[in-house]
Structure formats: structure tokens, C-alpha cells
Amino acid sequence: MPDLLTQDPNLDVCPNFSSAPFKATQALMLANGMMDEQVVNALQDAWTAQNNVERDQWTQEAEAREAAAAAGEQQGDGKRWKQHPKTPQMAPQADNIDCLEHKQKAKLKLWAFNPNMQVSNIIVPQPSS
């Protein structure tokens, strides 16, 4: 089974295969006797075919997530996390949890506020060290 997709392939845009980054690939295809337009069209067709496969996979994954969510709701499992239907379900990693706990512990705490405390009227000069 292929890996789960992390980005929606419906949002991808076909790259410009006639641009400079693709010149090496074009040169290889031109050496095989293809014309410039044929090379660009062949690359665009290959990208479109791969993108269509990814779109189908994305749709299947979304349907599977929706079915799993519906099955969880029917079982009455209140402990399941609700996720956006188009995001893949990923298990949180232990190091991320440790990092979050550390950040929460490291937050600065405010001192207790005492409304009856008097403020000094005299400024005491502090010698420099």
C-alpha cells in the first residue's frame, strides 16, 4: 500500500517544463529524436497522469477517513479526535509531546498580585558593577 498523502494533489499546478530547470531532461529527450513541443507535451502528460493517480488516492483516503469517523461515531466512542476530513490522521510522536510539556513548564509565571502593597516614593541609586 502506498504511503498516505500529506498534501491535496488537487491544489498542485503543473510546472513549466520549458523552463531552465528542465533543460537537462529536455536535452536527453531531444537526443532521442523528439521535437521541442513533443518533449514539453510528453513531460506535461506524464505529470498529469501521475497527478491523476494521486488525486484518486487522495479521494480514496478521504472516503476511508470518513467511513472510519462514521464507524467511530456509531460505536459511541467519545475519545476519538475529530479531524478535518481532508487531513491524514497522524499519530503524535512522543518527542513532540515532551517538547510541548517542556514549553508549558517553561512559561513565565506572574507573581501573586498584592493590592495592599505600598510603592516607595524614594528611588535608591544602584551602583554599577
Side-chain angles (χ1 to χ4, degrees), residues 5-117:
L5 296 175
T6 56
Q7 291 181 332
D8 186 356
N10 294 309
L11 303 176
D12 290 344
V13 178
C14 184
N16 182 5
F17 289 109
S18 60
S19 62
F22 298 102
K23 290 297 181 189
T25 306
Q26 289 178 5
L28 290 173
M29 295 176 83
L30 288 172
N32 289 335
M34 296 179 79
M35 303 297 287
D36 286 334
E37 290 179 18
Q38 291 175 334
V39 169
V40 172
N41 289 338
L43 291 172
Q44 286 175 343
D45 291 343
W47 183 90
T48 303
Q50 178 62 32
N51 186 260
N52 289 338
V53 168
E54 290 175 357
R55 286 180 184 197
D56 292 340
Q57 181 183 350
W58 182 264
T59 303
Q60 291 173 357
E61 290 174 8
E63 290 171 355
R65 283 189 297 274
E66 289 172 4
E73 288 175 4
Q74 288 177 356
Q75 293 176 357
D77 188 5
K79 295 181 182 178
R80 292 188 184 262
W81 293 0
K82 294 194 178 211
Q83 287 192 324
H84 191 274
K86 290 190 177 183
T87 57
Q89 184 175 4
M90 295 182 180
Q93 297 176 351
D95 57 348
N96 289 343
I97 293 172
D98 292 340
C99 182
L100 289 174
E101 289 175 1
H102 176 69
K103 285 181 182 179
Q104 289 175 351
K105 288 180 183 177
K107 285 185 180 178
L108 296 176
K109 308 272 190 288
L110 293 177
W111 291 35
F113 178 72
N114 184 356
N116 298 326
M117 184 176 204

